[in-house]
Amino acid sequence: ILAQISTWATYLLLGTIFAVSFGTGSYYLLRDKPIGYFSIVIWGALLMWQLTPLMAISFREEYDLSDLARYPLGFGAYYVLFLFFGLFDLSTIFGMSALLGISVGIALEQPQLLSAALPGLALFAAFNILLNRSIFAWLDRWLAQRRSREILGIAFFAIIVILELLNPALHPAHDKVPTGLVHLLSTLAPLNVLLPPGLVAIGMQGVAHAHLLSTTLSLAGLLAWTILPAALLSLRLRAQYR
């Protein structure tokens, strides 16, 4: 009991820190920068949401839902149960804390943007939950095979080596500003409008400039991004269910 209390107290403290940090970041971005820069804080929430399970994988409590196959359970209920257990993951708790802080920051600085921000953040949360569950469903399948484990291990070390080689190129020792990284980000910036964090910012920008069409298109894009991991998860779970 004491271990559970201390664990959840630690999670509550970390969730509060994330909420305050992301709320403060969103508040100052909306106050000092154009709305287009708001996607920075959304990208931070996405990266934290997807990378937290990898950093805390040893603390995750796994549920083997294959035992449910002995009961007359339909695929729809099986799918919902798989998602339900994902709501208690550490990544979901921290991610929802970050989005709560972002919503509070928006409400304090520019409350008129909440009409687009709240639906966009809700779709963004659904996208992250489905993406996280889809990634781990497929990883569990791949890691069940020895050859897949070897390939993933080699790929992991290859990524580490590549990052070490890119570090001096992106951040030379004589430069205080990582010019290579800045150039890379500026090159990839146009793609941001097609990705979920950029779509959230576009929806808010549409409300700020009374462009309802851009807001509607951004929400439609977020819905499309949400359907994609849902379909991938359904493909994996249907094979597991059978």
Side-chain angles (χ1 to χ4, degrees), residues 161-186:
V161 173
I162 291 172
L163 290 177
E164 289 294 331
L165 294 175
L166 287 177
N167 185 49
L170 295 177
H171 197 306
H174 59 275
D175 280 345
K176 294 183 179 180
V177 179
T179 55
L181 181 60
V182 171
H183 178 71
L184 177 63
L185 293 177
S186 62

Side-chain angles (χ1 to χ4, degrees), residues 148-169:
S148 299
R149 291 197 302 268
E150 294 172 351
I151 293 174
L152 287 177
I154 294 172
F156 176 75
F157 286 109
I159 291 173
I160 293 178
V161 173
I162 291 172
L163 290 177
E164 289 294 331
L165 294 175
L166 287 177
N167 185 49

Side-chain angles (χ1 to χ4, degrees), residues 86-129:
L87 297 178
F88 300 96
D89 278 350
L90 197 59
S91 59
T92 304
I93 296 174
F94 290 165
M96 295 302 294
S97 299
L99 295 187
L100 177 61
I102 291 173
S103 301
V104 173
I106 296 172
L108 292 177
E109 176 56 28
Q110 297 191 29
Q112 70 276 11
L113 300 180
L114 284 177
S115 60
L118 291 181
L121 291 177
L123 288 173
F124 182 74
F127 165 76
N128 277 280
I129 293 173

Side-chain angles (χ1 to χ4, degrees), residues 8-230:
W8 282 103
T10 303
Y11 292 165
L12 179 61
L13 176 61
L14 290 175
T16 303
I17 292 174
F18 285 131
V20 173
S21 301
F22 279 88
T24 304
S26 62
Y27 177 84
Y28 282 105
L29 277 175
L30 288 176
R31 191 179 71 171
D32 299 331
K33 300 289 185 181
I35 298 178
Y37 285 86
F38 189 77
S39 61
I40 296 174
V41 71
I42 306 296
W43 272 110
L46 187 147
L47 292 175
M48 183 193 69
W49 205 315
Q50 302 306 324
L51 293 180
T52 296
L54 299 178
M55 295 183 291
I57 192 169
S58 59
F59 300 99
R60 299 175 73 240
E61 185 175 357
E62 296 291 341
Y63 299 93
D64 188 7
L65 297 183
S66 61
D67 292 338
L68 295 174
R70 70 186 69 180
Y71 302 106
L73 189 67
F75 175 70
Y78 185 78
Y79 190 98
V80 171
L81 281 174
F82 190 85
L83 289 179
F84 177 76
F85 284 115
L87 297 178
F88 300 96
D89 278 350
L90 197 59
S91 59
T92 304
I93 296 174
F94 290 165
M96 295 302 294
S97 299
L99 295 187
L100 177 61
I102 291 173
S103 301
V104 173
I106 296 172
L108 292 177
E109 176 56 28
Q110 297 191 29
Q112 70 276 11
L113 300 180
L114 284 177
S115 60
L118 291 181
L121 291 177
L123 288 173
F124 182 74
F127 165 76
N128 277 280
I129 293 173
L130 288 165
L131 179 62
N132 181 267
R133 298 301 284 168
S134 178
I135 289 174
F136 274 93
W138 283 97
L139 279 180
D140 288 341
R141 175 68 182 90
W142 292 332
L143 293 178
Q145 304 175 5
R146 179 180 177 182
R147 180 173 297 180
S148 299
R149 291 197 302 268
E150 294 172 351
I151 293 174
L152 287 177
I154 294 172
F156 176 75
F157 286 109
I159 291 173
I160 293 178
V161 173
I162 291 172
L163 290 177
E164 289 294 331
L165 294 175
L166 287 177
N167 185 49
L170 295 177
H171 197 306
H174 59 275
D175 280 345
K176 294 183 179 180
V177 179
T179 55
L181 181 60
V182 171
H183 178 71
L184 177 63
L185 293 177
S186 62
T187 304
L188 297 177
L191 298 176
N192 187 44
V193 298
L194 301 176
L195 299 176
L199 290 172
V200 174
I202 288 175
M204 296 169 56
Q205 195 170 16
V207 171
H209 296 88
H211 294 160
L212 297 181
L213 179 60
S214 62
T215 301
T216 304
L217 290 177
S218 68
L219 293 177
L222 284 170
L223 181 60
W225 275 106
T226 304
I227 292 174
L228 179 60

